[in-house]
mmCIF file with all atom_site columns, all heavy atoms in Angstrom:
data_model
loop_
_atom_site.group_PDB
_atom_site.id
_atom_site.type_symbol
_atom_site.label_atom_id
_atom_site.label_alt_id
_atom_site.label_comp_id
_atom_site.label_asym_id
_atom_site.label_entity_id
_atom_site.label_seq_id
_atom_site.pdbx_PDB_ins_code
_atom_site.Cartn_x
_atom_site.Cartn_y
_atom_site.Cartn_z
_atom_site.occupancy
_atom_site.B_iso_or_equiv
_atom_site.pdbx_formal_charge
_atom_site.auth_seq_id
_atom_site.auth_comp_id
_atom_site.auth_asym_id
_atom_site.auth_atom_id
_atom_site.pdbx_PDB_model_num
ATOM 1   N N   . GLN T 1 236 ? 2.598   -8.457  27.719 1.00 0.00 ? 506 GLN T N   1
ATOM 2   C CA  . GLN T 1 236 ? 1.149   -8.607  27.755 1.00 0.00 ? 506 GLN T CA  1
ATOM 3   C C   . GLN T 1 236 ? 0.758   -10.065 27.566 1.00 0.00 ? 506 GLN T C   1
ATOM 4   O O   . GLN T 1 236 ? 1.506   -10.866 27.007 1.00 0.00 ? 506 GLN T O   1
ATOM 5   C CB  . GLN T 1 236 ? 0.501   -7.744  26.668 1.00 0.00 ? 506 GLN T CB  1
ATOM 6   C CG  . GLN T 1 236 ? 0.823   -6.267  26.775 1.00 0.00 ? 506 GLN T CG  1
ATOM 7   C CD  . GLN T 1 236 ? 0.233   -5.647  28.016 1.00 0.00 ? 506 GLN T CD  1
ATOM 8   O OE1 . GLN T 1 236 ? -0.792  -6.103  28.532 1.00 0.00 ? 506 GLN T OE1 1
ATOM 9   N NE2 . GLN T 1 236 ? 0.879   -4.609  28.512 1.00 0.00 ? 506 GLN T NE2 1
ATOM 10  N N   . ALA T 1 237 ? -0.441  -10.385 28.017 1.00 0.00 ? 507 ALA T N   1
ATOM 11  C CA  . ALA T 1 237 ? -0.939  -11.747 27.876 1.00 0.00 ? 507 ALA T CA  1
ATOM 12  C C   . ALA T 1 237 ? -1.284  -12.023 26.421 1.00 0.00 ? 507 ALA T C   1
ATOM 13  O O   . ALA T 1 237 ? -1.746  -11.143 25.686 1.00 0.00 ? 507 ALA T O   1
ATOM 14  C CB  . ALA T 1 237 ? -2.175  -11.948 28.750 1.00 0.00 ? 507 ALA T CB  1
ATOM 15  N N   . GLY T 1 238 ? -1.057  -13.236 26.003 1.00 0.00 ? 508 GLY T N   1
ATOM 16  C CA  . GLY T 1 238 ? -1.394  -13.619 24.644 1.00 0.00 ? 508 GLY T CA  1
ATOM 17  C C   . GLY T 1 238 ? -0.208  -13.488 23.702 1.00 0.00 ? 508 GLY T C   1
ATOM 18  O O   . GLY T 1 238 ? 0.841   -12.941 24.048 1.00 0.00 ? 508 GLY T O   1
ATOM 19  N N   . ARG T 1 239 ? -0.403  -13.989 22.525 1.00 0.00 ? 509 ARG T N   1
ATOM 20  C CA  . ARG T 1 239 ? 0.645   -13.946 21.505 1.00 0.00 ? 509 ARG T CA  1
ATOM 21  C C   . ARG T 1 239 ? 0.645   -12.574 20.824 1.00 0.00 ? 509 ARG T C   1
ATOM 22  O O   . ARG T 1 239 ? -0.421  -12.064 20.475 1.00 0.00 ? 509 ARG T O   1
ATOM 23  C CB  . ARG T 1 239 ? 0.405   -15.039 20.476 1.00 0.00 ? 509 ARG T CB  1
ATOM 24  C CG  . ARG T 1 239 ? 1.456   -15.120 19.383 1.00 0.00 ? 509 ARG T CG  1
ATOM 25  C CD  . ARG T 1 239 ? 1.179   -16.269 18.450 1.00 0.00 ? 509 ARG T CD  1
ATOM 26  N NE  . ARG T 1 239 ? 1.262   -17.549 19.156 1.00 0.00 ? 509 ARG T NE  1
ATOM 27  C CZ  . ARG T 1 239 ? 1.030   -18.728 18.577 1.00 0.00 ? 509 ARG T CZ  1
ATOM 28  N NH1 . ARG T 1 239 ? 0.672   -18.766 17.301 1.00 0.00 ? 509 ARG T NH1 1
ATOM 29  N NH2 . ARG T 1 239 ? 1.123   -19.839 19.277 1.00 0.00 ? 509 ARG T NH2 1
ATOM 30  N N   . PRO T 1 240 ? 1.807   -11.968 20.616 1.00 0.00 ? 510 PRO T N   1
ATOM 31  C CA  . PRO T 1 240 ? 1.841   -10.652 19.946 1.00 0.00 ? 510 PRO T CA  1
ATOM 32  C C   . PRO T 1 240 ? 1.310   -10.737 18.520 1.00 0.00 ? 510 PRO T C   1
ATOM 33  O O   . PRO T 1 240 ? 1.586   -11.688 17.794 1.00 0.00 ? 510 PRO T O   1
ATOM 34  C CB  . PRO T 1 240 ? 3.333   -10.281 19.971 1.00 0.00 ? 510 PRO T CB  1
ATOM 35  C CG  . PRO T 1 240 ? 3.937   -11.124 21.038 1.00 0.00 ? 510 PRO T CG  1
ATOM 36  C CD  . PRO T 1 240 ? 3.141   -12.394 21.069 1.00 0.00 ? 510 PRO T CD  1
ATOM 37  N N   . ALA T 1 241 ? 0.560   -9.746  18.146 1.00 0.00 ? 511 ALA T N   1
ATOM 38  C CA  . ALA T 1 241 ? -0.022  -9.713  16.802 1.00 0.00 ? 511 ALA T CA  1
ATOM 39  C C   . ALA T 1 241 ? 1.027   -9.292  15.782 1.00 0.00 ? 511 ALA T C   1
ATOM 40  O O   . ALA T 1 241 ? 1.817   -8.378  16.019 1.00 0.00 ? 511 ALA T O   1
ATOM 41  C CB  . ALA T 1 241 ? -1.200  -8.746  16.771 1.00 0.00 ? 511 ALA T CB  1
ATOM 42  N N   . LYS T 1 242 ? 1.033   -9.965  14.644 1.00 0.00 ? 512 LYS T N   1
ATOM 43  C CA  . LYS T 1 242 ? 1.964   -9.648  13.568 1.00 0.00 ? 512 LYS T CA  1
ATOM 44  C C   . LYS T 1 242 ? 1.253   -9.188  12.295 1.00 0.00 ? 512 LYS T C   1
ATOM 45  O O   . LYS T 1 242 ? 1.828   -8.494  11.481 1.00 0.00 ? 512 LYS T O   1
ATOM 46  C CB  . LYS T 1 242 ? 2.832   -10.868 13.235 1.00 0.00 ? 512 LYS T CB  1
ATOM 47  C CG  . LYS T 1 242 ? 3.871   -11.176 14.292 1.00 0.00 ? 512 LYS T CG  1
ATOM 48  C CD  . LYS T 1 242 ? 4.830   -12.235 13.799 1.00 0.00 ? 512 LYS T CD  1
ATOM 49  C CE  . LYS T 1 242 ? 5.948   -12.469 14.803 1.00 0.00 ? 512 LYS T CE  1
ATOM 50  N NZ  . LYS T 1 242 ? 6.916   -13.469 14.314 1.00 0.00 ? 512 LYS T NZ  1
ATOM 51  N N   . LYS T 1 243 ? 0.007   -9.591  12.133 1.00 0.00 ? 513 LYS T N   1
ATOM 52  C CA  . LYS T 1 243 ? -0.728  -9.200  10.945 1.00 0.00 ? 513 LYS T CA  1
ATOM 53  C C   . LYS T 1 243 ? -1.235  -7.769  11.087 1.00 0.00 ? 513 LYS T C   1
ATOM 54  O O   . LYS T 1 243 ? -1.696  -7.378  12.155 1.00 0.00 ? 513 LYS T O   1
ATOM 55  C CB  . LYS T 1 243 ? -1.898  -10.149 10.694 1.00 0.00 ? 513 LYS T CB  1
ATOM 56  C CG  . LYS T 1 243 ? -1.478  -11.574 10.341 1.00 0.00 ? 513 LYS T CG  1
ATOM 57  C CD  . LYS T 1 243 ? -2.686  -12.424 10.005 1.00 0.00 ? 513 LYS T CD  1
ATOM 58  C CE  . LYS T 1 243 ? -2.266  -13.836 9.603  1.00 0.00 ? 513 LYS T CE  1
ATOM 59  N NZ  . LYS T 1 243 ? -3.446  -14.672 9.273  1.00 0.00 ? 513 LYS T NZ  1
ATOM 60  N N   . ARG T 1 244 ? -1.142  -7.018  10.009 1.00 0.00 ? 514 ARG T N   1
ATOM 61  C CA  . ARG T 1 244 ? -1.602  -5.634  10.039 1.00 0.00 ? 514 ARG T CA  1
ATOM 62  C C   . ARG T 1 244 ? -3.126  -5.586  10.005 1.00 0.00 ? 514 ARG T C   1
ATOM 63  O O   . ARG T 1 244 ? -3.787  -6.525  9.546  1.00 0.00 ? 514 ARG T O   1
ATOM 64  C CB  . ARG T 1 244 ? -1.038  -4.865  8.851  1.00 0.00 ? 514 ARG T CB  1
ATOM 65  C CG  . ARG T 1 244 ? -1.556  -5.318  7.501  1.00 0.00 ? 514 ARG T CG  1
ATOM 66  C CD  . ARG T 1 244 ? -0.952  -4.492  6.389  1.00 0.00 ? 514 ARG T CD  1
ATOM 67  N NE  . ARG T 1 244 ? -1.462  -4.876  5.085  1.00 0.00 ? 514 ARG T NE  1
ATOM 68  C CZ  . ARG T 1 244 ? -2.563  -4.374  4.547  1.00 0.00 ? 514 ARG T CZ  1
ATOM 69  N NH1 . ARG T 1 244 ? -3.265  -3.459  5.215  1.00 0.00 ? 514 ARG T NH1 1
ATOM 70  N NH2 . ARG T 1 244 ? -2.970  -4.752  3.361  1.00 0.00 ? 514 ARG T NH2 1
ATOM 71  N N   . LYS T 1 245 ? -3.672  -4.485  10.458 1.00 0.00 ? 515 LYS T N   1
ATOM 72  C CA  . LYS T 1 245 ? -5.111  -4.283  10.429 1.00 0.00 ? 515 LYS T CA  1
ATOM 73  C C   . LYS T 1 245 ? -5.519  -3.795  9.047  1.00 0.00 ? 515 LYS T C   1
ATOM 74  O O   . LYS T 1 245 ? -5.072  -2.750  8.597  1.00 0.00 ? 515 LYS T O   1
ATOM 75  C CB  . LYS T 1 245 ? -5.524  -3.272  11.496 1.00 0.00 ? 515 LYS T CB  1
ATOM 76  C CG  . LYS T 1 245 ? -5.275  -3.740  12.917 1.00 0.00 ? 515 LYS T CG  1
ATOM 77  C CD  . LYS T 1 245 ? -5.761  -2.718  13.923 1.00 0.00 ? 515 LYS T CD  1
ATOM 78  C CE  . LYS T 1 245 ? -5.524  -3.209  15.353 1.00 0.00 ? 515 LYS T CE  1
ATOM 79  N NZ  . LYS T 1 245 ? -5.990  -2.209  16.359 1.00 0.00 ? 515 LYS T NZ  1
ATOM 80  N N   . ARG T 1 246 ? -6.346  -4.561  8.391  1.00 0.00 ? 516 ARG T N   1
ATOM 81  C CA  . ARG T 1 246 ? -6.771  -4.211  7.043  1.00 0.00 ? 516 ARG T CA  1
ATOM 82  C C   . ARG T 1 246 ? -7.845  -3.138  7.068  1.00 0.00 ? 516 ARG T C   1
ATOM 83  O O   . ARG T 1 246 ? -8.607  -3.026  8.032  1.00 0.00 ? 516 ARG T O   1
ATOM 84  C CB  . ARG T 1 246 ? -7.287  -5.449  6.306  1.00 0.00 ? 516 ARG T CB  1
ATOM 85  C CG  . ARG T 1 246 ? -6.204  -6.483  6.061  1.00 0.00 ? 516 ARG T CG  1
ATOM 86  C CD  . ARG T 1 246 ? -6.754  -7.698  5.346  1.00 0.00 ? 516 ARG T CD  1
ATOM 87  N NE  . ARG T 1 246 ? -5.679  -8.625  5.013  1.00 0.00 ? 516 ARG T NE  1
ATOM 88  C CZ  . ARG T 1 246 ? -5.040  -8.637  3.858  1.00 0.00 ? 516 ARG T CZ  1
ATOM 89  N NH1 . ARG T 1 246 ? -5.388  -7.779  2.919  1.00 0.00 ? 516 ARG T NH1 1
ATOM 90  N NH2 . ARG T 1 246 ? -4.072  -9.491  3.622  1.00 0.00 ? 516 ARG T NH2 1
ATOM 91  N N   . GLY T 1 247 ? -7.868  -2.354  6.018  1.00 0.00 ? 517 GLY T N   1
ATOM 92  C CA  . GLY T 1 247 ? -8.837  -1.284  5.892  1.00 0.00 ? 517 GLY T CA  1
ATOM 93  C C   . GLY T 1 247 ? -10.231 -1.818  5.647  1.00 0.00 ? 517 GLY T C   1
ATOM 94  O O   . GLY T 1 247 ? -10.427 -2.996  5.312  1.00 0.00 ? 517 GLY T O   1
ATOM 95  N N   . PRO T 1 248 ? -11.249 -0.952  5.790  1.00 0.00 ? 518 PRO T N   1
ATOM 96  C CA  . PRO T 1 248 ? -12.634 -1.419  5.602  1.00 0.00 ? 518 PRO T CA  1
ATOM 97  C C   . PRO T 1 248 ? -12.937 -1.818  4.173  1.00 0.00 ? 518 PRO T C   1
ATOM 98  O O   . PRO T 1 248 ? -13.850 -2.604  3.934  1.00 0.00 ? 518 PRO T O   1
ATOM 99  C CB  . PRO T 1 248 ? -13.469 -0.206  6.033  1.00 0.00 ? 518 PRO T CB  1
ATOM 100 C CG  . PRO T 1 248 ? -12.563 0.966   5.877  1.00 0.00 ? 518 PRO T CG  1
ATOM 101 C CD  . PRO T 1 248 ? -11.189 0.460   6.186  1.00 0.00 ? 518 PRO T CD  1
ATOM 102 N N   . ASN T 1 249 ? -12.204 -1.278  3.202  1.00 0.00 ? 519 ASN T N   1
ATOM 103 C CA  . ASN T 1 249 ? -12.457 -1.609  1.799  1.00 0.00 ? 519 ASN T CA  1
ATOM 104 C C   . ASN T 1 249 ? -11.551 -2.704  1.273  1.00 0.00 ? 519 ASN T C   1
ATOM 105 O O   . ASN T 1 249 ? -11.611 -3.027  0.099  1.00 0.00 ? 519 ASN T O   1
ATOM 106 C CB  . ASN T 1 249 ? -12.278 -0.366  0.931  1.00 0.00 ? 519 ASN T CB  1
ATOM 107 C CG  . ASN T 1 249 ? -10.865 0.181   1.012  1.00 0.00 ? 519 ASN T CG  1
ATOM 108 O OD1 . ASN T 1 249 ? -10.234 0.093   2.056  1.00 0.00 ? 519 ASN T OD1 1
ATOM 109 N ND2 . ASN T 1 249 ? -10.366 0.751   -0.059 1.00 0.00 ? 519 ASN T ND2 1
#
Side-chain angles (χ1 to χ4, degrees):
Q506 302 294 332
R509 182 177 297 178
K512 288 189 175 182
K513 294 184 178 180
R514 67 180 182 87
K515 295 182 179 180
R516 295 179 175 266
N519 61 326

